[in-house]
Amino acid sequence: MSEYFNKKGLRHDGRSVTDTRPITIEAGYVERADGSAYLEWGKNKIVAAVYGPREMLPRHMANPYKGRIRFVYRLAPFSVGERKNPRPGRRDVELSKVSGEALSAAALLENFPNTAIDVYVTVLDADAGTRIAALTAASVALADAGIPMKDMVTGTAVGRVDGKLVIDLDKFEEDAYDAVDMAVAMMPNTSEVVLFQMDGVINKKEYSELLKMAESKCKEIKAIQEAALKKKYEKEFNK
Ligand code: ADP
């Protein structure tokens, strides 16, 4: 027995190796936004708000052939144990860039030349896996804003903890001595990967196994995203 797995092979919080933490999503959370979502993923709490398509300012940034997604990922200063400096750091800038690119792969931006679609995601409470949780929430917010997409963007972290391959590492597991943390986001219909980042060292066999695990989990998470959107619109139609 280790501190990461009990005798039955369950993780420190009772999950099996293929369980994510509980995920709940509410679409249409921010009144003022064109589209929005509130997501809880385990102890992560995240708000995503989308504004646009709207005129691209400054104008020299406008693309006459398609719209541009501007993704802003921020960890709130109170979201982590030590106060985070509210000024965006390199991590915020990096995650904003790769997440914006991931959404741009799915959104049909040719429909919106010269415009900006601003996606603001704030992590209120962080417990590892926030980049994927942020992207998952943002994808719901984008759909809620009525932006046509090829598919939802859905993700999960997968990795290795104490020699075992697992889905969705939390902060405790991410700090394991041999941890591998692989953030994967896909368009589940085609399994095209739109975001991939990894910490740690793994072999080819583990890598393919992890990708397979991520692929099937993304399909499950997409169903949660879709259910959140359906719930919002059913409520509106029944008003
Ligand atoms: P992810 O949240 O996508 O797993 P990281 O692996 O970079 O991204 O971060 C893991 C966790 O470490 C975060 O979810 C958060 O709980 C914590 N963390 C990240 N950045 C900071 C920071 N600047 N200060 C304190 N804790 C942080």
Side-chain angles (χ1 to χ4, degrees), residues 21 44 73 75 79-85 91-92 95 123 125-133 157 169 171 174-175 181 183 197 199:
R21 292 165 283 177
N44 292 312
Y73 166 100
L75 273 183
S79 65
V80 288
E82 290 276 313
R83 173 180 177 274
K84 185 198 171 280
N85 185 337
R91 180 176 173 280
D92 299 284
L95 296 187
V123 178
D125 216 342
D127 186 44
T130 61
R131 71 193 64 200
I132 287 297
L169 290 70
K171 186 84 180 88
E174 221 182 74
D175 295 336
D181 186 20
Q197 298 185 299
D199 286 325

Side-chain angles (χ1 to χ4, degrees), residues 177-198:
Y177 65 95
D178 68 335
V180 170
D181 186 20
M182 199 163 120
V184 185
M186 301 186 170
M187 294 192 276
N189 277 345
T190 54
S191 298
E192 278 172 279
V193 175
V194 291
L195 179 142
F196 183 95
Q197 298 185 299
M198 196 184 92

Side-chain angles (χ1 to χ4, degrees), residues 98-116:
V98 294
S99 305
E101 286 168 0
L103 284 185
S104 302
L108 300 174
L109 297 173
E110 305 74 28
N111 293 337
F112 309 107
N114 289 314
T115 66

Side-chain angles (χ1 to χ4, degrees), residues 83-175:
R83 173 180 177 274
K84 185 198 171 280
N85 185 337
R87 185 187 300 166
R90 280 166 46 162
R91 180 176 173 280
D92 299 284
V93 174
E94 174 202 322
L95 296 187
S96 300
K97 177 180 187 291
V98 294
S99 305
E101 286 168 0
L103 284 185
S104 302
L108 300 174
L109 297 173
E110 305 74 28
N111 293 337
F112 309 107
N114 289 314
T115 66
I117 299 169
D118 290 310
V119 182
Y120 301 105
V121 184
T122 300
V123 178
L124 305 173
D125 216 342
D127 186 44
T130 61
R131 71 193 64 200
I132 287 297
L135 193 50
T136 303
S139 179
V140 174
L142 201 63
D144 183 39
I147 307 295
M149 294 153 81
K150 273 194 263 182
D151 194 358
M152 295 300 282
V153 171
T154 305
T156 181
V158 285
R160 189 184 61 216
V161 176
D162 199 20
K164 285 198 166 92
L165 301 185
V166 300
I167 288 187
D168 186 28
L169 290 70
D170 65 11
K171 186 84 180 88
F172 175 69
E173 293 175 322
E174 221 182 74
D175 295 336

Side-chain angles (χ1 to χ4, degrees), residues 216-230:
S216 70
K217 193 51 76 173
C218 281
K219 292 192 166 53
E220 288 175 33
I221 297 170
K222 179 180 168 181
I224 303 174
Q225 292 173 299
E226 288 178 339
L229 288 159
K230 273 188 200 148

